[in-house]
C-alpha cells in the first residue's frame, strides 16, 4: 500500500519584509536580520526527526512556501536541497517549487535557484495595477511583476506560476480582466487565480475594506474564466488553471489525499501509517520556539469517522474524475461507508457516478460546501 501513496515535502519559511493586511498565513515581519543559516539547520534537524514517517518512500514533490522563501539566498537553498537529497531519495523528475516575490532583489536570485535544484517558481503577483498593490500592502510594483515573469519564462524551468487575486477593494470588472489579460500575455504555464477573502486576525479582518458585491464577483469569475479557457488554460482545481501538462504536482498530491511531510514553523504533515491509520503533524508556530529545537507541537491520528469528510474535502477541490478505488486505498475504509451520502449527493445533482469513478457536476462545483456537508 505505502509504495503507491506519493510522499511530498512542504518546507515553511516564516519571514516577510512586510505583513500583508489580508494574510493569515504563518508569517512574521522582519525587525532585524533573521538567522537564515541557523533556520536552515533547524529545518534539516526537523526533517531528520520525521524521516521514520516516510517509510522508505522517495519524495514526489517539494514546495518551499512562506512567508517569503526568496529572502533566503540561492546558496542556502542549494545547501538545504543537497542535504535533503542525502537523507531521502527523490523520484525521477520530482517537482521542486519555491515561492518568490517579484521585486527586483528576489528576481535576481532566480538563476541561482535554478542552479540550486528549483525547477518551478511561483511568483506572488496578486495584481498588475499599482493602486491595488498598495492596497494589498505588496512591496513590488507592476513593472517588477512583469520583469520577474519574463525572467522566469526565459529560464529552463520545468514550469512557473503567477499568483493573482480578484475581488479586490474598488476592483471593477475591467480591472480584473486587465490583470488576467496581462498575465496571459506573459504566458505562464500555470495560473493561481483566487478571490480575496477577509480572514480573522488580519488587518483587513479588523478594518475590512469595501469589496465588490456578489453580483460583481460573479461577473468577474464568469468572464475571467472565459478569458482563461479561451487562451488555453484549463481550470483543474477550485482556484488553479494550467496549460495541458502543467498542473502543480505538489498540490495535486494534497487534493488526491496523498501524504506529505511538513517541516518548518507551523508546517502541517499528513502521513499514512503501516497499519493504515492517518497521522497529522503540526510544527511549532513561532520561530523563537521552533529554533529551540522543539519542532513538533502536536500529532494525532485522524478518527475513522472523520476520514470521509477529509478525503472528499480534498478530492472535490479537483475537477477531475475521482476514482472510487482511491477512497478505499487512502482511507482504508470500504466504499459502503459512504453509500448514503453519495446517494444523497447524486439525488441533489452534485455528482454523478459509474462503476469506477465519481464526477463532480457543474451544480456540485457551485455548491461545494453543501456537498461536503453530506459527509459530516
Amino acid at each position: 500500500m505505502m509504495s503507491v501513496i506519493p510522499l511530498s515535502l512542504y518546507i515553511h519559511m516564516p519571514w516577510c519584509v512586510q505583513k500583508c493586511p489580508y494574510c493569515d498565513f504563518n508569517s512574521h515581519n522582519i525587525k532585524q536580520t533573521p538567522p537564515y543559516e541557523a533556520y536552515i539547520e533547524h529545518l534539516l534537524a526537523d526533517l531528520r526527526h520525521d524521516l521514520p514517517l516516510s517509510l522508505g518512500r522517495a519524495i514526489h514533490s517539494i514546495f518551499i512556501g512562506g512567508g517569503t522563501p526568496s529572502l533566503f539566498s540561492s546558496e542556502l537553498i542549494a545547501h538545504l536541497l543537497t542535504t535533503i537529497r542525502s537523507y531521502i531519495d527523490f523520484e525521477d523528475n520530482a517537482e521542486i517549487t519555491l515561492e518568490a516575490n517579484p521585486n527586483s532583489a528576489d528576481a535576481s536570485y532566480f538563476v541561482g535557484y535554478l542552479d540550486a535544484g528549483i525547477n518551478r517558481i511561483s511568483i506572488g503577483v496578486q495584481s498588475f495595477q499599482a493602486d491595488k498593490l498598495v492596497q494589498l500592502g505588496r512591496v513590488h510594483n507592476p513593472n517588477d511583476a512583469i520583469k520577474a515573469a519574463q525572467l522566469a519564462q526565459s529560464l529552463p524551468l520545468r514550469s512557473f506560476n503567477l499568483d493573482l487575486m480578484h475581488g479586490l477593494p474598488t476592483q471593477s470588472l475591467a480591472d480584473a480582466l486587465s490583470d488576467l489579460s496581462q498575465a496571459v500575455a506573459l504566458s505562464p504555464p500555470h495560473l493561481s487565480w483566487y478571490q480575496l477573502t477577509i480572514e480573522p486576525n488580519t488587518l483587513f479582518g479588523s478594518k475590512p475594506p469595501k469589496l465588490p458585491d456578489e453580483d460583481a464577483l460573479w461577473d468577474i469569475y464568469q468572464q475571467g474564466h472565459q478569458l482563461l479557457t479561451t487562451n488555453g488554460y484549463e481550470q483543474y482545481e477550485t482556484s488553479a488553471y494550467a496549460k495541458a501538462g502543467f498542473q502543480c504536482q505538489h498540490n495535486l498530491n494534497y487534493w488526491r489525499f496523498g501524504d506529505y511531510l511538513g517541516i518548518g514553523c507551523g508546517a502541517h504533515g499528513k502521513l499514512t501509517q503501516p497499519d493504515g491509520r492517518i497521522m497529522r503533524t503540526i510544527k511549532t508556530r513561532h520561530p523563537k520556539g521552533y529554533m529551540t529545537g522543539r519542532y513538533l507541537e502536536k500529532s494525532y491520528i485522524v478518527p475513522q469517522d472523520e476520514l470521509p469528510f477529509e478525503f472528499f474535502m480534498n478530492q472535490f477541490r479537483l475537477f477531475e474524475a475521482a476514482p472510487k478505488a482511491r477512497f478505499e486505498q487512502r482511507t482504508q475504509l470500504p466504499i459502503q461507508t459512504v453509500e448514503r451520502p453519495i446517494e444523497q449527493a447524486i439525488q441533489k445533482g452534485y455528482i454523478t457516478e459509474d462503476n469506477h469513478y465519481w464526477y463532480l457536476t457543474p451544480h456540485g462545483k457551485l455548491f461545494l460546501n453543501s456537498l461536503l456537508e453530506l459527509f459530516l
Side-chain angles (χ1 to χ4, degrees), residues 271 273 275 277-280 299-304 306:
L271 289 310
Q273 303 301 290
D275 60 5
R277 295 184 304 163
I278 292 174
M279 173 189 287
R280 291 200 176 272
S299 67
Y300 62 95
I301 298 296
V302 180
Q304 277 199 331
E306 295 179 12

Side-chain angles (χ1 to χ4, degrees), residues 330-357:
R330 301 199 178 175
T331 66
Q332 292 295 291
L333 297 174
I335 206 79
Q336 290 76 15
T337 308
V338 291
E339 275 183 342
R340 185 176 181 194
I342 289 293
E343 183 179 327
Q344 291 174 321
I346 292 170
Q347 290 172 351
K348 292 176 182 290
Y350 297 149
I351 64 172
T352 60
E353 69 173 349
D354 59 25
N355 288 338
H356 302 290
Y357 295 94

Side-chain angles (χ1 to χ4, degrees), residues 182-352:
Q182 176 62 79
V184 166
L186 294 165
S187 197
H190 190 284
L191 266 168
S192 296
W193 187 54
Y194 50 94
Q195 182 183 323
L196 170 65
T197 55
I198 304 300
E199 303 292 346
N201 303 315
T202 64
L203 184 57
F204 277 177
S206 58
K207 298 179 179 179
K210 183 174 176 54
L211 302 180
D213 62 27
E214 289 297 322
D215 288 340
L217 290 171
W218 180 242
D219 288 342
I220 288 171
Y221 171 75
Q222 278 198 311
Q223 295 195 38
H225 176 81
Q226 181 63 41
L227 187 156
L228 289 171
T229 54
T230 299
N231 282 277
Y233 291 91
E234 179 186 2
Q235 186 180 22
Y236 71 96
E237 185 257 322
T238 303
S239 58
Y241 292 74
K243 294 183 177 177
F246 288 98
Q247 294 92 340
C248 176
Q249 296 304 304
H250 187 86
N251 285 347
L252 281 178
N253 192 37
Y254 281 165
W255 308 140
R256 289 170 177 166
F257 215 49
D259 282 355
Y260 48 94
L261 295 160
I263 62 172
C265 296
H268 288 227
K270 170 193 169 286
L271 289 310
T272 305
Q273 303 301 290
D275 60 5
R277 295 184 304 163
I278 292 174
M279 173 189 287
R280 291 200 176 272
T281 61
I282 303 171
K283 299 302 172 65
T284 300
R285 186 174 176 84
H286 199 280
K288 286 185 179 178
Y290 181 83
M291 293 181 69
T292 64
R294 188 179 63 84
Y295 306 127
L296 183 65
E297 179 179 299
K298 181 181 179 182
S299 67
Y300 62 95
I301 298 296
V302 180
Q304 277 199 331
D305 61 358
E306 295 179 12
L307 286 173
F309 176 78
E310 289 216 7
F311 176 85
F312 288 110
M313 179 180 65
N314 286 279
Q315 180 66 64
F316 283 149
R317 280 188 64 105
L318 296 173
F319 297 157
E320 65 183 16
K324 294 179 178 180
R326 181 180 295 157
F327 173 81
E328 293 189 311
Q329 179 216 27
R330 301 199 178 175
T331 66
Q332 292 295 291
L333 297 174
I335 206 79
Q336 290 76 15
T337 308
V338 291
E339 275 183 342
R340 185 176 181 194
I342 289 293
E343 183 179 327
Q344 291 174 321
I346 292 170
Q347 290 172 351
K348 292 176 182 290
Y350 297 149
I351 64 172
T352 60

Side-chain angles (χ1 to χ4, degrees), residues 116-223:
I118 299 298
N119 56 30
R120 184 176 182 275
I121 290 177
S122 180
I123 304 171
V125 173
Q126 313 313 351
S127 176
F128 288 100
Q129 297 172 28
D131 63 321
K132 302 298 186 293
L133 291 172
V134 171
Q135 290 173 327
L136 294 173
R138 304 297 291 175
V139 297
H140 66 275
N141 61 49
N143 197 45
D144 288 335
I146 292 169
K147 286 184 174 179
Q150 289 172 336
L151 176 56
Q153 183 68 262
S154 73
L155 296 174
L157 291 162
R158 168 178 174 154
S159 181
F160 73 95
N161 170 63
L162 299 184
D163 248 17
L164 281 179
M165 301 174 75
H166 62 86
L168 307 179
T170 72
Q171 186 180 52
S172 66
L173 172 61
D175 290 336
L177 296 180
S178 173
D179 271 350
L180 278 182
S181 295
Q182 176 62 79
V184 166
L186 294 165
S187 197
H190 190 284
L191 266 168
S192 296
W193 187 54
Y194 50 94
Q195 182 183 323
L196 170 65
T197 55
I198 304 300
E199 303 292 346
N201 303 315
T202 64
L203 184 57
F204 277 177
S206 58
K207 298 179 179 179
K210 183 174 176 54
L211 302 180
D213 62 27
E214 289 297 322
D215 288 340
L217 290 171
W218 180 242
D219 288 342
I220 288 171
Y221 171 75
Q222 278 198 311
Q223 295 195 38

